[in-house]
Amino acid sequence: MTYQEFEKNINLGSLKNRDLETYLLALLKLVEDEREQILTAELLLKPLQDAYTSKPKKFNVEWLKIKDEPDENTFMNSKTNSSTDKTGVADIGEFYYTIAVLKFQIAELHKMKGKQLDDEWKYYGIDSETGNRWYNFDPSSILDCGMRCFMDGNKNGDQEFKVSWRTLGDLLEMGRIYE
């Protein structure tokens, strides 16, 4: 699948009624269920699309302790990034990075409810109470902007879109901060 094909299929435009926190909770549950999969572009599309309607994971108040966005280098260079873990998952550091991104973003959104998220101008950018910058606050915009960032970095949209578990974490983080 090419970058352009992935971008075309990433979003189910008619299903924009789910708030981003609920979407990310559903995505977290789906990703955890797919842990043993070696990710392809086609397999990545499925949880991104299914998270619009699937049951979300229960929010964990422990996530409120998360203050900083995950540093991908910590996960990629850690001992958890052996080539496989005990379940046979390749690139386990990349998987845990994506899980950390999901928990970070869920916690941030939860903390901003009734505060920054009520700002009518939030799409011009707001800072969370932990000082992290946000520009996108719904599933459609975070996925669209994250993919635009990938596309801007790859001028040839006809090139194969090679993905790993890190791709999902990067997509969400770029979507959060990309205007």
Side-chain angles (χ1 to χ4, degrees), residues 18-101:
R18 188 163 245 193
D19 72 90
L20 184 56
E21 182 180 344
T22 304
Y23 175 83
L24 293 175
L25 283 163
L27 185 58
L28 175 60
K29 186 173 191 254
L30 291 166
V31 167
E32 288 176 338
D33 290 346
E34 296 296 323
R35 174 183 180 170
E36 295 185 29
Q37 295 292 324
I38 295 186
L39 211 54
T40 64
E42 291 81 7
L43 288 174
L44 178 56
L45 281 173
K46 183 152 179 41
L48 289 172
Q49 294 169 342
D50 289 351
Y52 279 100
T53 56
S54 66
K55 184 177 178 181
K57 183 177 180 94
K58 186 177 181 214
F59 181 80
N60 184 336
V61 294
E62 288 295 310
W63 300 339
L64 294 173
K65 295 176 184 175
I66 301 169
K67 304 282 186 230
D68 299 313
E69 62 191 54
D71 176 9
E72 66 218 31
N73 293 322
T74 300
F75 291 90
M76 302 315 145
N77 297 326
S78 72
K79 291 182 181 183
T80 63
N81 194 29
S82 58
S83 60
T84 60
D85 75 352
K86 64 185 176 188
T87 64
V89 175
D91 302 319
I92 194 67
E94 293 184 2
F95 176 80
Y96 284 123
Y97 164 69
T98 291
I99 295 297
V101 167

